[in-house]
Amino acid sequence: MNLTSGKQKGVEQISNDNNIIFATAMDQRGSLGKMIQSFNKDKSYEKSLIEFKEGVAKVLGNKSSSLLLDPEYGWQASEELDDNIGLIMAYEKTGYDSTEKGRLPNLVDFYSVQDLAKNGASAIKLLIYYNHNEEKSINKIKDAFIKRVGDECKQNDILFILEPVSYSEKDLDVKSSQFVKEKPSIIEFFMDEFSKDKYGVDILKVEVPVAIYNIQGYDEYDNYNPIFSQSEAQKLYKDSSDVSKIPFIYLSGGVSNDQFVETLNFAKKAGSKFNGCLCGRAIWKDGIEDYATNTWQNYLEWLKNNGLNNLYKVKETLEKTATPIR
């Protein structure tokens, strides 16, 4: 990687001693608030988000190489991090305007990249919904949007992590067999297109091309729906890895802890040269009910036991499967 000093410092801050990114994702907002209130409707939306993130930062963030937070509810959580833990800050607003076509992106209020950097961020993360089969006018808007954030990160000499998330331009369910068949080509496009210099992206945070439960032979999972053979899926993993010209990390995408661990093992077997992961719900999702229905101390105990157990399973697997960033 040929990076400026600030961006190189960012890579070092968010990686572990083995030059692998072992980051925990805790930038969920709308979806997390809804999950908390589904267990306890009397919980305050804003206070709950702030508190839940604080617990994750205190226990899980400090055992990761870095933690991804959001500037809307995450600043108090960032204060729980030890000095040697990297801080990745989300730059996009949560969700999208469903009344407008194309899932157009929007940035958080009140903060620029300059502000996030000044407040201690080691890296900036931008999530953007994207499908190269979408209308050209919509994708031109999104391309310019990514370039603007890339330029802003260059100006402030801070690491830029792009998270392009696939969706169906035909409004197919993302778990439908038809979309599962289309998704690998979308992910390969992400890896090829957004690793080009013009976007200013330093690291890609991407979905795997095929979910583990859509691969033949993994019938132990309740959501098993085999679409690809193992050899077909391996080729798709390797093809998307091979076209990326910059480092990339995998997101967990809402799968269970066991499924994500198996996914990392499969990616390694397939020849994918991924450089780490940003894993969220696969680590802490099962603690939401404990937080919502029990005491703060009970929640911390869940994190220290079940949460750390989930975290260490991913960490152990990552050390055997990920390729160090050079």
Side-chain angles (χ1 to χ4, degrees):
M1 294 178 72
N2 296 316
L3 297 177
T4 56
S5 58
K7 287 177 178 281
Q8 182 58 44
K9 182 181 178 184
V11 172
E12 293 166 3
Q13 288 174 332
I14 69 169
S15 305
N16 63 18
D17 292 340
N18 296 321
N19 299 316
I20 290 168
I21 297 173
F22 172 50
T24 296
M26 188 65 265
D27 64 324
Q28 285 78 0
R29 284 153 275 180
S31 60
L32 176 59
K34 288 174 185 174
M35 284 189 280
I36 291 171
Q37 291 188 328
S38 72
F39 291 112
N40 185 347
K41 61 181 175 54
D42 295 326
K43 281 281 190 183
S44 159
Y45 179 85
E46 183 170 338
K47 185 181 178 185
S48 295
L49 285 176
I50 292 170
E51 284 184 346
F52 191 86
K53 291 170 188 287
E54 283 185 278
V56 168
K58 185 182 184 71
V59 179
L60 304 178
N62 284 316
K63 297 298 182 182
S64 310
S65 67
S66 46
L67 181 66
L68 168 62
L69 290 166
D70 60 276
E72 292 164 304
Y73 303 100
W75 287 120
Q76 286 177 228
S78 72
E79 293 173 5
E80 298 288 343
L81 296 177
D82 296 339
D83 290 342
N84 64 325
I85 307 300
L87 173 62
I88 307 169
M89 268 292 173
Y91 198 28
E92 78 285 343
K93 281 186 177 179
T94 187
Y96 54 88
D97 184 352
S98 59
T99 66
E100 196 171 23
K101 182 171 173 55
R103 303 193 185 191
L104 296 175
N106 204 354
L107 299 179
V108 295
D109 297 327
F110 311 122
Y111 295 94
S112 65
V113 167
Q114 179 183 147
D115 299 321
L116 298 177
K118 190 183 296 183
N119 281 285
S122 306
I124 302 299
K125 186 272 296 185
L126 176 70
L127 182 152
I128 190 162
Y129 290 95
Y130 204 102
N131 185 328
H132 61 297
N133 299 310
E134 183 60 273
E135 291 178 14
K136 288 184 179 179
S137 59
I138 289 173
N139 284 342
K140 284 180 74 174
I141 293 171
K142 294 179 180 181
D143 291 347
F145 192 88
I146 296 167
K147 290 174 186 176
R148 287 178 192 138
V149 175
D151 285 346
E152 202 178 349
C153 289
K154 284 179 185 174
Q155 179 67 29
N156 289 277
D157 199 13
I158 190 169
L159 198 69
F160 178 25
I161 301 172
L162 178 68
E163 179 182 1
V165 175
S166 64
Y167 73 98
S168 169
E169 86 286 6
K170 300 186 288 286
D171 289 327
L172 297 171
D173 184 325
V174 294
K175 294 189 186 305
S176 68
S177 297
Q178 186 178 343
F179 185 72
V180 168
K181 292 173 183 176
E182 294 176 9
K183 184 175 178 178
S185 66
I186 301 173
I187 304 304
E188 187 169 335
F189 175 87
F190 291 166
M191 308 284 264
D192 181 37
E193 179 66 16
F194 297 127
S195 60
K196 293 175 180 176
D197 290 342
K198 64 182 179 180
Y199 295 101
V201 178
D202 301 303
I203 294 172
L204 283 167
K205 176 190 176 188
V206 291
E207 303 158 272
V208 294
V210 184
I212 198 73
Y213 51 80
N214 290 135
I215 302 173
Q216 289 175 11
Y218 292 92
D219 54 357
E220 68 268 33
Y221 302 123
D222 292 339
N223 53 352
Y224 181 58
N225 178 25
I227 304 295
F228 297 99
S229 69
Q230 292 201 23
S231 60
E232 287 171 337
Q234 284 178 7
K235 184 176 187 305
L236 293 169
Y237 271 71
K238 188 168 190 312
D239 286 350
S240 63
S241 172
D242 286 350
V243 298
S244 180
K245 297 168 277 296
I246 60 175
F248 67 95
I249 57 179
Y250 286 134
L251 56 90
S252 52
V255 299
S256 70
N257 189 263
D258 287 344
Q259 287 178 333
F260 190 55
V261 165
E262 197 58 63
T263 299
L264 296 177
N265 284 319
F266 186 87
K268 170 69 172 180
K269 183 180 176 182
S272 173
K273 301 295 184 184
F274 65 100
N275 304 105
C277 71
L278 238 167
C279 182
R281 286 169 289 176
I283 293 172
W284 48 254
K285 183 181 178 182
D286 291 342
I288 296 174
E289 183 175 5
D290 237 277
Y291 166 76
T293 59
N294 284 311
T295 65
W296 175 253
Q297 198 54 45
N298 284 129
Y299 170 52
L300 288 181
E301 286 302 311
W302 186 93
L303 289 169
K304 291 174 183 176
N305 294 300
N306 305 65
L308 280 179
N309 183 52
N310 289 339
L311 187 85
Y312 291 147
K313 282 182 188 175
V314 174
K315 181 179 182 181
E316 182 182 336
T317 306
L318 205 60
E319 293 295 343
K320 295 184 292 187
T321 58
T323 299
I325 293 179
R326 300 299 182 193

